[in-house]
Amino acid sequence: MVPKASFGSYYGRPVVKASPWQADIPAYLFLGGLAGGSSLLAAGADLTGRPGLRRSCRVTALGALGVSFAALVHDLGRPARFHHMLRVAKFTSPMSVGTWILTAYGPLAALAALSEARDQLPRPLRTGLVGRALPGAGSAAGVLAGVLAPALASYTAVLLADTATPSWHDARHHLPFVFVGSAAAAAGGLGMVNAPLRESGPAQRLAVAGSVLDLAASHHMESSIGLSAEPMRQGRAGAYRRAAQALTAAGALLAAFGARRSRAAAVLSGAALAAGSACTRFAIFHAGQQSATDPRYTVQPQRERLDAGRPVRFEGPAEPA
Amino acid sequence: MTSFANRLFGPLDPATEAGYLDPPTRKGFFTDTSVCIGCKACEVACKEWNAVPEDGISLTGMSYDNSVGLGASTWRHVAFIEQPSGAREHPGEESASFRWLMESDVCKHCTHAACLDVCPTGALMRSEFGTVVVQNDVCNGCGYCVPACPYGVIERREGPKDEPAVGLAQKCTLCYDRLKGDLEPACAKACPTQSIQFGDLDELRVRAKGRVDQLVEAGVSDAQLYGHDPRDGVGGAGAFFLLLDRPEVYGLPPDPVVTTKALPQMWRQAALAAATLLVGSLAAFVERRNR
Ligand code: SF4
């Protein structure tokens, strides 16, 4: 328990503003992670000769990517101007970095998935140049997408952390690990759901390891960020968090002990893990929103460091103005 | 020349840093709340000049404050605080049993502006005067600047889609258009008590130091400058204040820090996590041999 300290405020009004983002953004956090994790599994499946796992993961990645794109555009105040993101490239803006990651990753993931449709092509196309080039192009694109995928799965943590929202910024050390763990759990889970049982070993191992990382990093995060952990346990954030923990833990246990033996167990645990991953993202999202709405989370830590004589000040050498 | 280390944190001249060759001296506001009379002329002048729409017409019950706080359609905001007992209101007076605090708040035009740093379109830009301005024709309303600002200033304007600037991030421009025409910003022009002073930032800082020393000497021991120090968490604010109580009493963060100060650390953690995922995924394909 963090002791309640008195602090001043202006009629209890928030000091920082909560983001204007709606459900689109936590949904994207989930789907971006799912796409990234799936591309990694697909690339591995391709290189190790698991066509069933490869195909399903490529399709999952493209589907998640498509919905992500729609969500990101929909969330804008001026959706018709989404392409203004491509005017600049700024490393101080995780959203700009993410735009460029998606711009590079998207076409590769799409090409990898489309190459799976080769057999559905009309015969002249299938036996022509396009049809013959498609598998090789799909493999190359798939491996490159896999190389970019870890960045896609982890940058979204910086997207949230690079704000003045207390519960996001204070979680900056841990959030990337929570997010990649969550991405691995979701992608492994859906891989288990969609791939044939005899090929789903890597998906199952990724799912279990991802769940463990998600749960461990979340636990570590909550025990080390002090007051900013409080909103994670309250309100909507708390409800999502409890659901995320239950689904992820149950899904991981089932994946570890049943999913290689029975198809039903694989589907059930995979679905639980994907749902758990989505809940993790919604929990973190709402924790941040809640922490921004109550001035205590902004004022109290700042007041404490001021009163302790440790304000944040530049200590470097004086610069001539 | 500024060292690279200072580009995310620490003192620097923002216009030079942004690439202007030979920019004019940095402009800013010094808002001396000790002489504010709460007339709201600044709020009105700002709305008139900048054609800022109405921001709600209900009564809040927060003393005389009905505009509540800075936002997309409130670029100057006068805070009213009624303190039942407090320090002496004027030098030389006996301790008063009641005092008013009034403060006209505004965008701080930070040296290290988080809103500008995180903007993914380049819509938020640094002007030659060292101020921070939204370009309405570029902004696509992603909303990232809103949670990034450590003072809760900038906001996306909501409302019917056909009204001006709806869906775009909006805030004080320090009257960029007036500055280019050699005029002072509308709020400073309208302020009848010179609580809002506009000018060269260096000069304002000197003036503010003189004023706070004068007040402290006269016995107003709580008088303090806020946002004047180029070594603070945002590299010094372009709009700074003289306050008569703790910042949080006025709804200001007591020790704000630009979020991008931690950027190298954040990207490092993300890279480590990405590497973890990559290695983990590769490991997932390693089969135990004796199966
Ligand atoms: S106060 Fe907020 S909106 Fe104004 S320049 Fe600083 S970060 Fe940007």
Side-chain angles (χ1 to χ4, degrees):
Chain A
M1 243 332 257
V2 184
K4 279 232 179 345
S6 68
F7 74 103
S9 88
Y10 184 69
Y11 300 98
R13 303 286 313 167
V15 171
V16 295
K17 283 196 166 43
S19 82
W21 299 330
Q22 305 291 324
D24 293 314
I25 297 302
Y28 165 64
L29 301 176
F30 164 67
L31 292 167
L34 175 62
S38 298
S39 282
L40 279 165
L41 271 182
D46 191 23
L47 297 174
T48 57
R50 293 177 168 92
L53 182 64
R54 181 201 71 208
R55 190 172 308 121
S56 67
C57 287
R58 282 179 176 176
V59 172
T60 302
L62 180 60
L65 184 70
V67 183
S68 291
F69 186 73
L72 288 177
V73 172
H74 179 253
D75 192 69
L76 296 177
R78 290 284 174 95
R81 293 185 179 178
F82 73 92
H83 61 285
H84 287 199
M85 300 278 186
L86 301 173
R87 291 178 74 245
V88 293
K90 289 166 72 172
F91 99 107
T92 58
S93 171
M95 197 180 281
S96 175
V97 172
T99 298
W100 290 105
I101 293 173
L102 275 173
T103 304
Y105 165 87
L108 294 169
L111 179 56
L114 291 179
S115 73
E116 298 292 346
R118 177 175 175 269
D119 293 345
Q120 277 77 53
L121 289 178
R123 200 183 140 77
L125 258 184
R126 187 168 67 229
T127 51
L129 194 63
V130 173
R132 274 178 287 141
L134 215 43
S139 283
V143 169
L144 285 176
V147 170
L148 291 170
L152 176 63
S154 72
Y155 96 86
T156 46
V158 188
L159 183 80
L160 296 190
D162 194 14
T163 60
T165 298
S167 292
W168 293 343
H169 188 70
D170 291 344
R172 61 191 178 276
H173 280 101
H174 312 274
L175 217 44
F177 292 94
V178 175
F179 277 19
V180 300
S182 179
L190 284 195
M192 283 165 21
V193 170
N194 294 319
L197 204 52
R198 82 197 120 75
E199 290 184 14
S200 69
Q204 178 244 10
R205 289 189 283 274
L206 187 67
V208 174
S211 308
V212 171
L213 178 59
D214 175 350
L215 291 171
S218 296
H219 179 78
H220 191 208
M221 173 172 77
E222 285 173 29
S223 52
S224 33
I225 62 173
L227 187 63
S228 288
E230 200 178 272
M232 297 182 175
R233 292 187 283 266
Q234 295 172 346
R236 281 171 87 178
Y240 276 118
R241 170 178 167 273
R242 285 187 294 278
Q245 283 176 334
L247 286 163
T248 305
L253 281 175
L254 194 54
F257 299 111
R260 291 315 307 285
R261 268 168 259 150
S262 121
R263 176 99 194 115
V267 170
L268 197 62
S269 77
L273 288 172
S277 170
C279 287
T280 298
R281 311 311 179 105
F282 277 83
I284 299 284
F285 175 75
H286 285 293
Q289 298 291 83
Q290 289 166 204
S291 73
T293 321
D294 186 339
R296 188 159 66 98
Y297 299 111
T298 302
V299 171
Q300 192 171 305
Q302 296 186 17
R303 172 49 59 198
E304 277 167 9
R305 66 179 182 247
L306 275 180
D307 288 349
R310 290 194 316 270
V312 174
R313 292 291 177 269
F314 182 74
E315 307 287 353
E319 297 268 338
Chain B
M1 197 57 209
T2 313
S3 65
F4 181 77
N6 287 30
R7 295 185 70 180
L8 294 173
F9 181 56
L12 55 69
D13 179 60
T16 313
E17 156 69 15
Y20 289 98
L21 302 171
D22 204 15
T25 47
R26 185 176 178 189
K27 298 294 185 287
F29 284 129
F30 165 44
T31 305
D32 178 354
T33 68
S34 69
V35 292
C36 178
I37 55 171
C39 70
K40 305 189 191 177
C42 49
E43 284 193 18
V44 176
C46 174
K47 278 196 183 288
E48 289 271 335
W49 180 264
N50 295 297
V52 178
E54 170 259 303
D55 54 3
I57 47 170
S58 54
L59 299 177
T60 60
M62 293 159 51
S63 187
Y64 283 100
D65 180 1
N66 294 309
S67 53
V68 178
L70 293 174
S73 301
T74 312
W75 296 357
R76 267 278 177 189
H77 164 251
V78 183
F80 291 80
I81 299 120
E82 301 176 23
Q83 287 186 335
S85 65
R88 282 168 295 185
E89 194 171 26
H90 292 291
E93 266 180 21
E94 282 302 300
S95 180
S97 61
F98 174 91
R99 73 169 176 172
W100 282 103
L101 296 176
M102 285 162 264
E103 178 241 4
S104 177
D105 197 9
V106 69
C107 166
K108 314 302 175 287
H109 294 276
C110 309
T111 301
H112 297 285
C115 61
L116 191 159
D117 280 349
V118 304
C119 174
T121 63
L124 273 152
M125 64 142 200
R126 185 72 64 177
S127 84
E128 63 271 37
F129 302 106
T131 57
V132 179
V133 181
V134 184
Q135 305 174 82
N136 278 356
D137 55 340
V138 177
C139 177
N140 66 7
C142 76
Y144 201 3
C145 52
V146 178
C149 171
Y151 302 92
V153 170
I154 196 164
E155 191 180 35
R156 194 162 79 181
R157 186 174 287 165
E158 307 297 335
K161 292 279 175 231
D162 50 344
E163 291 194 0
V166 165
L168 306 182
Q170 295 286 289
K171 71 169 192 72
C172 161
T173 69
L174 216 131
C175 283
Y176 189 29
D177 50 352
R178 291 175 63 94
L179 257 52
K180 283 198 280 199
D182 261 334
L183 295 168
E184 66 180 318
C187 55
K189 181 88 183 171
C191 179
T193 65
Q194 292 189 346
S195 170
I196 300 175
Q197 301 176 30
F198 165 80
D200 292 346
L201 191 56
D202 289 341
E203 199 195 310
L204 291 176
R205 282 175 178 156
V206 175
R207 205 187 297 170
K209 181 80 178 67
R211 174 66 180 157
V212 77
D213 288 350
Q214 184 189 27
L215 283 172
V216 170
E217 204 172 306
V220 188
S221 55
D222 283 338
Q224 54 189 282
L225 294 181
Y226 175 79
H228 64 295
D229 183 359
R231 291 173 171 272
D232 73 15
V234 300
F240 66 100
F241 300 80
L242 188 157
L243 304 177
L244 298 179
D245 205 334
R246 297 174 153 204
E248 57 265 40
V249 170
Y250 299 87
L252 296 164
D255 189 32
V257 181
V258 60
T259 177
T260 36
K261 173 177 184 283
L263 196 67
Q265 194 188 47
M266 292 189 275
W267 282 129
R268 188 195 61 216
Q269 291 301 100
L272 283 175
T276 306
L277 179 61
L278 184 63
V279 171
S281 303
L282 292 175
F285 283 91
V286 178
E287 293 278 358
R288 255 182 284 159
R289 272 224 217 102
N290 52 358
R291 268 247 171 123

